[in-house]
Amino acid sequence: MNPTDIRKMVVGDLWTNSTAYENTEYVVDHFGNRFMGTESERKAKDHILGLFRAYGLENPREEPYRYTGWKRGPCKVEMTSPVQREIWAFAHPHSGSTPPGGIEAEVIDLGKGAQQDFEAHAGRIKGKIVLASTGWHPGQSYFLGHRVGKHGWTSDAGGVGLMIRNETPGGLIETGTIATGYRNTGEIPVVGLSFETGALIERQLKKGPVNVRIDMQNEVSPGTLGWNVVGEITGTKHPDRVVLVGAHFDGHDIGQEAASDDLLGAMVVLDVARALARFKGAFKRTMRFVAFGNEECLTVGSTNYVAQHENEIGNLDMMINGDGLGRWPNPFFCVNNPPELVGPLSRLVGEWKIDAAVGVSDTRNPAWCTSTDNHPFTMKGIPTMVISGRGRASALGTAGRGAAVRDHTICDTMDKIDKFVVKQYAILLAELLVALAQRDEPLIRHSSKEEVLDAVRKYGYIDALKAQRRWHPDSTLGIR
Ligand SMILES: [Zn+2]
């Protein structure tokens, strides 16, 4: 069967099924949020491996790895002066603990808490608890205000704690790891606050000094076991040339579901694999589908994947990250690296009349998004892109997350998922894969290590990577 007919059959299949949605619901309802190191994560992994088998993928397997895990313990935060008030707060994953009885310190408000805010207040941070928002400055890359950097800058300046306040009103706390979980652990206690709690503290700070006590005990778990789940459709003409598409199946634990970030993406990838697997033997290049473990703490599964497959890095044509598949409207093929990939990708999308926008980035979709699973592949010079939605940029006027951009909050739940949007993304991904798998040449060559490091320099990310404890120019992956 020719690729055009295969495409029509696959699109018809995906349009007349809600398998990705139903599988997401099943996993959420039966296993929960799949947070790192939990029974929920292990059960979801087993279930996903079963689906890979049931859908007829070749070489279905789990690929285990070990990393430094973290367990949430009790967390109590209170304002002790000028007024006494208990504060609703969650520890950020990988947050350090306080001594028993907690720490009490004066609060310093650094606004957005991006790199320049720490520089502007250097010398005033030592011994204090920093209050920063989830944001970054207008026009600036998201990466320069990333929470992992806020943690590093606070710790480097001698701050004793960090409170990250949601920029979006609505009473929700935004969570997220503050360490590179595969190798490092957090250095200081870090908690998330709602916009409204931040406003309360800000209001008191206008009148005079504010003191806060943080008392929390978390547990570091070295040697925690995690898994990537993998399946393939082998190419007939170039079996050793691989287009890899992956999305992470783990989620954050502050909600019960973590439905759309990014279980939904992983289930879209699986559904596309299911639809394409019916045409095994009709594709020139190999397609490899990966459900990554523990992206949330920070790209642990994908980093280990790249480290475990170093000897076949040269065979990967491209890595497509599905962290965002089906999550927001307005699908966007966002090129990560190299930026020159936009040209050939746009031509391919044009030839095949695939209805998705192609581009490099805006401040919400930075070309160098280092906090999701394409990052370790990018650092090894593999061409990378993310499929996500532009709806996110217009959904909120702020840099925080709320009911509209709900991932990393307790309201990332099934009821927010739009079945029509999910099908749209599944179809676009399938169309792209059919087009890529028919090619005799990759779209673009790999970047050299020097080119990758030059790009990091050009984007001004070296200081931020240092603050994130992730600047390892010798190994680029950060795993030795
Ligand atoms: Zn995610």
Side-chain angles (χ1 to χ4, degrees), residues 121-185:
H121 294 274
R124 294 184 52 224
I125 296 166
K126 200 171 169 25
K128 295 194 179 129
I129 294 172
V130 169
L131 175 66
S133 83
T134 44
W136 55 95
H137 293 272
Q140 183 173 52
S141 162
Y142 155 70
F143 186 58
L144 297 179
H146 194 274
R147 81 187 93 79
V148 182
K150 295 180 204 285
H151 162 266
W153 290 312
T154 303
S155 179
D156 288 343
V160 295
L162 171 63
M163 301 186 292
I164 303 179
R165 162 209 190 171
N166 197 343
E167 266 200 8
T168 301
L172 289 168
I173 293 175
E174 180 179 324
T175 189
T177 188
I178 46 78
T180 49
Y182 54 86
R183 210 163 67 99
N184 302 316
T185 54

Side-chain angles (χ1 to χ4, degrees), residues 15-33:
W15 184 249
T16 48
N17 266 294
S18 293
T19 325
Y21 181 91
E22 286 159 8
N23 282 338
T24 305
E25 185 178 276
Y26 185 91
V27 170
V28 157
D29 288 352
H30 288 79
F31 312 126
N33 58 41

